[in-house]
Amino acid sequence: LSFLFDSFIAFLQAILTVFYNISGYIGFANYGVAIILMTIVIKILLYPLTVKQIKSMKAMQDLQPKMKELQEKFKDKPEKLQQEMAALYKNSGVNPLAGCLPLLAQMPILMGIFFAIRDYSYIGDPTFFWLSNLSVADHIYVLPILSAVTTYIQQKQTMNDDNPQTKMMMYFMPIFIGYISINFPSGLVLYWVVSNIAQIIQQWWMYRDEAKVKEGAV
């Protein structure tokens, strides 16, 4: 398994080199541009899995009020609670595992990208705008701040902030991501930020009709 994963990382690094060469062909050879192009292509390829994951998570959140009612009503009858919960899932057309499966399918890819960019051997001087070297951390913390902000926006689009636990996670996770990004190579954090922005756009596209309905109701 280790050999296969290492080979996968090497393949992703070769893909990054291809995108670097493409940026050179368009007259702006830059590793930052290469990371952005590669991230966008990856997000497009993973879009079908993203749709399944996000819609399933959203459906589960919409069921939370009914689930709480059942848990309160049958708190002393665990077997009855399980039956009622199963009936709720069936009648709503929701599979509680459907949101996890697409994420699990994406995890090896995401881990591979993480190590591929983190351990990439840049040729020459990998600068990008204010970043003097994509292999080291962002010394003025622009990318860590952007990683926190975009993570928050991405979560805000799909999470139900009426739930106290969900609301706490909606604030904790962006802070955590921003904090650990301080010491990560800036090339890796750039990937995370662009990936977040791409997902924000994808999620907006997925729920654009729903947003129009809400605006019309107002």
Side-chain angles (χ1 to χ4, degrees), residues 148-161:
V149 171
T150 54
T151 299
Y152 173 78
I153 295 172
Q154 177 194 325
Q155 293 182 145
K156 181 72 173 176
Q157 284 180 307
T158 56
M159 284 189 174
N160 181 6
D161 53 10

Side-chain angles (χ1 to χ4, degrees), residues 7-17 38 42 109 112-113 116:
S7 299
F8 180 57
I9 291 173
F11 170 74
L12 290 173
Q13 290 176 334
I15 294 297
L16 179 56
T17 300
M38 186 177 77
I42 289 171
I109 300 173
I113 294 169

Side-chain angles (χ1 to χ4, degrees), residues 64-74:
Q64 285 296 321
K66 294 181 179 179
M67 292 169 62
K68 286 184 178 180
E69 289 179 9
L70 292 176
Q71 290 169 352
E72 186 64 27
K73 184 177 181 180
F74 300 107

Side-chain angles (χ1 to χ4, degrees), residues 51 54-62 155-160 202-218:
V51 170
I54 297 300
K55 287 191 172 181
S56 179
M57 290 173 59
K58 188 73 163 55
M60 285 294 293
Q61 288 181 15
D62 292 340
Q155 293 182 145
K156 181 72 173 176
Q157 284 180 307
T158 56
M159 284 189 174
N160 181 6
Q202 289 177 342
Q203 290 173 176
W204 168 81
W205 178 259
M206 288 166 55
Y207 294 110
R208 67 193 186 284
D209 293 333
E210 183 178 312
K212 288 179 181 178
V213 171
K214 289 181 180 179
E215 288 176 3
V218 174

Side-chain angles (χ1 to χ4, degrees), residues 13-157:
Q13 290 176 334
I15 294 297
L16 179 56
T17 300
V18 169
F19 278 106
Y20 174 74
N21 292 333
I22 291 174
S23 71
Y25 293 145
I26 62 178
F28 193 70
N30 186 275
Y31 281 108
V33 174
I35 290 172
I36 291 172
L37 292 174
M38 186 177 77
T39 306
I40 292 172
V41 170
I42 289 171
K43 291 299 293 183
I44 291 173
L45 293 176
L46 294 179
Y47 182 68
L49 290 176
T50 301
V51 170
K52 291 182 179 179
Q53 176 191 340
I54 297 300
K55 287 191 172 181
S56 179
M57 290 173 59
K58 188 73 163 55
M60 285 294 293
Q61 288 181 15
D62 292 340
L63 286 182
Q64 285 296 321
K66 294 181 179 179
M67 292 169 62
K68 286 184 178 180
E69 289 179 9
L70 292 176
Q71 290 169 352
E72 186 64 27
K73 184 177 181 180
F74 300 107
K75 59 183 177 181
D76 298 324
K77 301 177 180 179
E79 292 184 3
K80 181 65 174 176
L81 175 60
Q82 289 181 1
Q83 294 174 358
E84 292 294 327
M85 292 286 277
L88 177 63
Y89 291 142
K90 183 178 180 180
N91 295 333
S92 304
V94 175
N95 184 344
L97 297 178
C100 300
L101 295 178
L103 181 61
L104 290 175
Q106 294 181 63
M107 283 305 295
I109 300 173
L110 297 175
M111 289 177 62
I113 294 169
F114 176 91
F115 289 108
I117 296 180
R118 189 196 67 174
D119 301 331
Y120 187 82
S121 297
Y122 295 99
I123 299 173
D125 190 17
T127 61
F128 184 68
F129 287 104
W130 71 95
L131 301 168
S132 60
N133 192 332
L134 288 166
S135 65
V136 300
D138 182 354
H139 65 287
I140 59 174
Y141 309 120
V142 173
L143 285 177
I145 292 172
L146 287 176
S147 71
V149 171
T150 54
T151 299
Y152 173 78
I153 295 172
Q154 177 194 325
Q155 293 182 145
K156 181 72 173 176
Q157 284 180 307

